[in-house]
Amino acid sequence: MGFDATVVRAQFPILDQQVNGKPLVYLDSAASAQKPQMVLDTMSSAYSQTYANVHRGLHYLSEASTDAYEAVRGKVAHLIGARSEKEIVFTSGATMALNLIAHCYGNTNLGEGDEVLISVADHHANIVPWHLLGGRVGSKTVAAPVDADGSFNMEQFKAHITPRTKIISVPHVSNVLGTVFPIAAIAALAHENGAICIVDGCQGVTHLPVNVTDLGCDFYVFSGHKLYGPSGIGVCWGRSEIWAGLPPFLGGGDMIDDVKTDRSTYAEPPLRFEAGTPPIVECIGLGAAVDFVQQIGMANLRDHEMDMLRYGHQRLASVQGLNFIGMAADKSGVISFTLDAAHPHDISTLIDQDGVAIRAGHHCAQPLMKFYGLGSTARASVGVYTQESDFDVLAEALEKVNRIFG
Ligand code: PLP
């Protein structure tokens, strides 16, 4: 299917509104993407026509709900090139997925003095679970730097691998710098050194075609709400052979094989890792979001976003006193910047008066902020509905900020 930006944009009802008397310009998709009508309709009809709990009822609605929920595993597996839908574990989001891996894989495979290698550009969701793991088993978290322009530096990264490195966990795309990490090379490096490779794909699968089998990583996680789906649902993909050997994360209904009063045995993956009533309708909504991006085509989506990113850089470069943070050659999704004249929080608050939504803060990446000697940045991020005029409005609003503070 060809890509028609106007047709795609018209599918997002929330974008058609005024904020503070100005047409909304939504440049905060990296925090959470907006939802197309087909996701809203799918969720509404799941609640109004087929809702019941899954995996446990023998009546029509429960079977319909279970079928709709389970069908999403296949859709996600297809989207990310997994070998089997049984490799897809649903979680509440990427944060939960990384905590799940840290518990199930980390508690079992790491011990005192073992190391988890991350990047200084990681989101807190891919940092703090490793600190917590360290508290449980005595492992250490080591962070490799990036280059000053935000590029991934393979030599520097390699220099941080030691015989104790057991896990390498990196972002596919940095949520601050936009740097695309060379996952296939990092996964190969991990395996050469006897480690596994975990990818935080929150900003990856949302912007790029992803094939986890080709990438060669061991786990790939993401959140539904950044992929035009609802919040409260996420994906933890892992290799079948790894899942098979792992103990459960949480215990309760749905994840068991047999329960006695004094002991239990557990279901096979993926259900072993999905204790309790899952976010049923959110999962079905994620399925609709996957259908949405598949209908557009991830390659078309990426090309459109790259056009927007190029235009955004060019347009913002003309703003007086604007400094880009993160200018790696392979960049996706976001444009982070500071303005000499104003603090990022003031920028965000002021341009909101012009209907422009961007993110300002540390972006849950405090180590990266410290690395650059910054407290915060402003960040404009693109989505499938972004248009050039969004950056025109942003640039004009920033010039206005310059005038106010100048
Ligand atoms: N990783 C990255 C790179 C992110 O951008 C985010 C969210 O901003 C997360 C992890 C955490 O995602 P969630 O809060 O949906 O679990």
Side-chain angles (χ1 to χ4, degrees):
M1 179 176 128
F3 183 84
D4 184 332
T6 315
V7 172
V8 169
R9 193 178 159 84
Q11 295 177 50
F12 290 83
I14 199 169
L15 297 176
D16 185 22
Q17 66 172 297
Q18 307 242 315
V19 168
N20 293 320
K22 306 282 172 48
L24 169 65
V25 169
Y26 189 74
L27 288 168
D28 197 18
S29 298
S32 206
Q34 298 299 349
K35 321 303 169 199
Q37 191 64 51
M38 66 188 270
V39 169
L40 307 176
D41 290 346
T42 300
M43 292 180 73
S44 168
S45 90
Y47 272 126
S48 56
Q49 288 166 38
T50 57
Y51 183 79
N53 211 328
V54 291
H55 300 144
R56 53 196 77 184
L58 292 176
H59 53 81
Y60 168 78
L61 283 182
S62 181
E63 282 174 11
S65 198
T66 303
D67 288 350
Y69 176 86
E70 284 299 325
V72 182
R73 270 188 233 282
K75 292 181 188 205
V76 171
H78 185 249
L79 177 74
I80 64 171
R83 284 171 305 178
S84 160
E85 61 187 52
K86 296 204 169 76
E87 296 186 326
I88 306 297
V89 168
F90 292 123
T91 64
S92 62
T95 300
M96 182 63 94
L98 289 161
N99 279 278
L100 184 158
I101 300 167
H103 270 263
C104 299
Y105 188 90
N107 289 4
T108 319
N109 291 284
L110 275 76
E112 189 72 35
D114 284 336
E115 293 171 13
V116 179
L117 175 57
I118 59 169
S119 163
V120 74
D122 265 297
H123 186 282
H124 295 167
N126 198 25
I127 302 176
V128 184
W130 308 120
H131 295 168
L132 294 171
L133 173 66
R136 296 193 296 274
V137 306
S139 56
K140 287 195 296 185
T141 310
V142 178
V146 289
D147 285 342
D149 72 350
S151 300
F152 177 79
N153 183 320
M154 185 53 105
E155 289 317 305
Q156 284 272 8
F157 197 79
K158 275 186 188 162
H160 286 75
I161 294 182
T162 76
R164 303 306 303 270
T165 307
K166 293 286 187 305
I167 291 176
I168 293 182
S169 194
V170 287
H172 194 172
V173 174
S174 158
N175 65 315
V176 180
L177 304 168
T179 307
V180 180
F181 280 58
I183 299 302
I186 295 171
L189 184 70
H191 296 152
E192 280 158 27
N193 288 278
I196 63 157
C197 176
I198 301 166
V199 182
D200 171 0
C202 263
Q203 307 290 342
V205 69
T206 39
H207 301 294
L208 308 169
V210 167
N211 185 304
V212 291
T213 308
D214 291 349
L215 289 174
C217 51
D218 299 289
F219 288 101
Y220 192 102
V221 310
F222 63 94
S223 294
H225 68 94
K226 295 181 197 279
L227 188 72
Y228 311 104
S231 51
I233 182 75
V235 169
C236 187
W237 167 83
R239 287 181 187 283
S240 310
E241 54 276 25
I242 300 184
W243 280 136
L246 297 186
F249 176 33
L250 302 174
D254 245 17
M255 50 71 73
I256 52 91
D257 168 38
D258 186 42
V259 180
K260 300 196 166 50
T261 51
D262 60 344
R263 65 186 179 277
S264 336
T265 52
Y266 312 118
E268 291 299 312
L271 290 187
R272 187 187 301 164
F273 304 99
E274 294 178 11
T277 298
I280 301 163
V281 175
E282 287 76 6
C283 183
I284 294 169
L286 172 64
V290 171
D291 288 342
F292 172 75
V293 294
Q294 296 275 53
Q295 278 167 23
I296 288 170
M298 284 308 294
N300 289 331
L301 183 149
R302 178 200 52 204
D303 291 350
H304 172 72
E305 289 188 354
M306 288 310 287
D307 287 346
M308 293 305 108
L309 221 53
R310 264 189 296 274
Y311 184 80
H313 279 107
Q314 181 197 319
R315 192 67 183 80
L316 295 181
S318 68
V319 175
Q320 185 75 27
L322 186 142
N323 317 293
F324 292 115
I325 310 295
M327 286 299 278
D330 199 1
K331 184 173 173 179
S332 180
V334 302
I335 303 179
S336 282
F337 60 92
T338 58
L339 209 53
D340 290 344
H343 188 278
H345 288 167
D346 293 331
I347 297 172
S348 179
T349 307
L350 282 168
I351 68 176
D352 181 51
Q353 294 308 308
D354 287 317
V356 184
I358 60 163
R359 177 91 186 266
H362 55 60
H363 313 291
C364 297
Q366 286 183 345
L368 187 68
M369 293 296 127
K370 290 184 186 118
F371 178 75
Y372 281 113
L374 295 168
S376 58
T377 74
R379 181 188 71 186
S381 52
V382 301
V384 69
Y385 36 67
T386 303
Q387 49 194 2
E388 289 185 351
S389 61
D390 292 343
F391 284 105
D392 294 334
V393 178
L394 172 61
E396 282 155 26
L398 293 173
E399 290 292 13
K400 208 192 264 181
V401 174
N402 271 336
R403 287 196 294 279
I404 292 168
F405 283 89

